[in-house]
Amino acid sequence: MDDALKQSIIDTTMALVSIPSVIGDEKAICDYVEERLLKRFSRDEIIRHSHSLLVEPGPRDPSKPTIGLVGHLDTVPDRQDGPVRIENNRIIGCGVSDMKAGVALKIELLERLDLENLGVNLTVVFYEREEGAYVDNGLHPLLENYPSLQDIDLAFCLEPSNNKLQMGSLGGIHATLKFDGRRAHSARPWQGENAIHKAGPVLNDLLALEPKKVVLGGLSFHEVMNVTMVEGFGTRNAIPDQLSLNVNYRFAPGKPIETAQAELEEFIDGRCEIIYTDLSPSGPVCMDNPFLKPVLDLDGIVVEPKQAWTDVARLALFGIQAANWGPGESAQAHQVNESCDIDLILDGYELFHRALTQMGSES
């Protein structure tokens, strides 16, 4: 890779990270990406839907497979202690790993690939509102409104994965466990019913739970269930009459939401009310997709299970097979002073360029 290309990729990443795009505030970054791509592509090749973009460079050849590059523009709230900067060969800034490094690669690939002579059709999606509730995700309306997306034969979600190919997607349930008691003075607890104490047996059972290993396609996923938030009401000298726990159940690919709900309900066994607040399906492991082979053949490629939820699962609902593959550092996602190694970003560009070019030569 020559120095000019390296600098361009770094500059693009820095520009993206310098545009605040906390979930719900994606207009400015969407404007930037759209304006930049319109320098190469026609208006007909770029569809804007709210603050999301669907890029379908033409002409489209129906004899070629269609490869999708998919990723979000938003970030979690900014928790950096300083400006966007480079230190020790790392870009430091909100969202650089999750996933503006991946967005930068998509822009650079669109600008530089010889698309006319590529052996695949390329569809690239930049979407809003990934970092929130499942039902608010900005990819879903694109999938519903633009049927051409269902022509994708294989998609890559550029979620932070350290340039490793991460297959599948855990499903996820968030539910409120509501314990009701009866208020009383703490000096006379027998006159009330302590909602916190009622939760004790459930918490003990959760503490005893071990991660459950599930092997799919030779990859080991782990099903886990944890309390992640607590909300209560009361005063220091009163028996509390309410307690709510948010429980998060992460389950393996292939398990239907209904089965996961039934497992949670069996675990709770009527000991409290369950209020479901977020239901996210799992995503399949598509190791047998024929268009994955050029990636699997890359020197040094590492294949892992995705021990998290991503939009691989949402794409699967629309019949699109997908895998996670991106340059960001997974351990940096959502961190204070989020950062990403520059070499990882540059290596990611080369990996994608080689894979897409190889797909072309084999078609």
Side-chain angles (χ1 to χ4, degrees), residues 66-138:
T66 298
I67 301 300
L69 304 181
V70 181
H72 59 88
L73 295 169
D74 59 315
T75 72
V76 294
D78 192 340
R79 301 178 65 200
Q80 309 302 106
D81 67 0
V84 177
R85 60 198 184 274
I86 295 177
E87 292 180 359
N88 300 317
N89 203 50
R90 301 183 69 83
I91 297 176
I92 301 173
C94 179
V96 61
S97 275
D98 190 13
M99 56 164 286
K100 292 186 178 182
V103 174
L105 295 197
K106 291 190 298 176
I107 293 171
E108 292 283 342
L109 287 165
L110 279 169
E111 290 178 338
R112 296 175 182 277
L113 280 169
D114 182 2
L115 297 172
E116 186 174 345
N117 293 311
L118 207 61
V120 299
N121 299 312
L122 198 59
T123 294
V124 184
V125 178
F126 305 83
Y127 64 99
E128 61 184 329
R129 301 194 317 275
E130 189 269 349
E131 298 286 7
Y134 178 81
V135 295
D136 296 327
N137 184 292

Side-chain angles (χ1 to χ4, degrees), residues 321-341:
Q321 291 193 339
N324 304 283
W325 191 30
E329 297 181 36
S330 55
Q332 283 292 317
H334 302 190
Q335 293 294 316
V336 175
N337 289 331
E338 183 178 347
S339 65
C340 187
D341 189 286

Side-chain angles (χ1 to χ4, degrees), residues 67-333:
I67 301 300
L69 304 181
V70 181
H72 59 88
L73 295 169
D74 59 315
T75 72
V76 294
D78 192 340
R79 301 178 65 200
Q80 309 302 106
D81 67 0
V84 177
R85 60 198 184 274
I86 295 177
E87 292 180 359
N88 300 317
N89 203 50
R90 301 183 69 83
I91 297 176
I92 301 173
C94 179
V96 61
S97 275
D98 190 13
M99 56 164 286
K100 292 186 178 182
V103 174
L105 295 197
K106 291 190 298 176
I107 293 171
E108 292 283 342
L109 287 165
L110 279 169
E111 290 178 338
R112 296 175 182 277
L113 280 169
D114 182 2
L115 297 172
E116 186 174 345
N117 293 311
L118 207 61
V120 299
N121 299 312
L122 198 59
T123 294
V124 184
V125 178
F126 305 83
Y127 64 99
E128 61 184 329
R129 301 194 317 275
E130 189 269 349
E131 298 286 7
Y134 178 81
V135 295
D136 296 327
N137 184 292
L139 178 59
H140 206 96
L142 294 178
L143 292 165
E144 287 183 322
N145 288 284
Y146 303 100
S148 64
L149 283 170
Q150 294 178 40
D151 294 335
I152 292 174
D153 294 290
L154 175 65
F156 295 106
C157 291
L158 278 77
E159 291 290 335
S161 60
N162 302 74
N163 288 329
K164 297 175 182 177
L165 188 66
Q166 296 183 335
M167 305 302 297
S169 167
L170 293 182
I173 288 177
H174 285 277
T176 299
L177 307 183
K178 189 170 180 290
F179 296 86
D180 292 320
R182 188 172 65 256
R183 192 175 175 85
H185 196 288
S186 60
R188 298 178 294 280
W190 56 84
Q191 295 178 343
E193 186 178 22
N194 193 313
I196 294 176
H197 292 182
K198 284 182 71 174
V202 172
L203 290 170
N204 282 334
D205 289 347
L206 283 167
L207 183 63
L209 277 181
E210 295 287 340
K212 179 183 177 182
K213 183 178 177 180
V214 179
V215 179
L216 298 166
L219 302 173
S220 297
F221 295 84
H222 293 86
E223 296 188 327
V224 291
M225 189 182 300
N226 292 280
V227 170
T228 57
M229 293 192 300
V230 179
E231 184 176 1
F233 303 90
T235 60
R236 56 185 284 177
N237 63 347
I239 298 301
D241 60 349
Q242 294 182 47
L243 179 71
S244 294
L245 307 176
N246 183 84
V247 67
N248 183 207
Y249 177 29
R250 302 289 180 137
F251 54 91
K255 180 175 289 185
I257 280 281
E258 296 79 9
T259 302
Q261 288 179 275
E263 291 174 346
L264 176 59
E265 290 164 10
E266 181 180 5
F267 177 82
I268 296 300
D269 194 25
R271 291 177 289 182
C272 63
E273 181 182 1
I274 302 174
I275 304 169
Y276 293 104
T277 57
D278 202 349
L279 301 172
S280 302
S282 63
V285 176
C286 60
M287 290 292 291
D288 57 350
N289 186 298
F291 305 109
L292 197 62
K293 186 176 184 301
V295 180
L296 297 174
D297 288 345
L298 290 173
D299 290 340
I301 197 70
V302 176
V303 182
E304 296 181 338
K306 187 64 176 180
Q307 186 65 28
W309 186 91
T310 74
D311 272 315
V312 161
R314 191 182 306 275
L315 291 164
L317 292 177
F318 290 82
I320 302 169
Q321 291 193 339
N324 304 283
W325 191 30
E329 297 181 36
S330 55
Q332 283 292 317

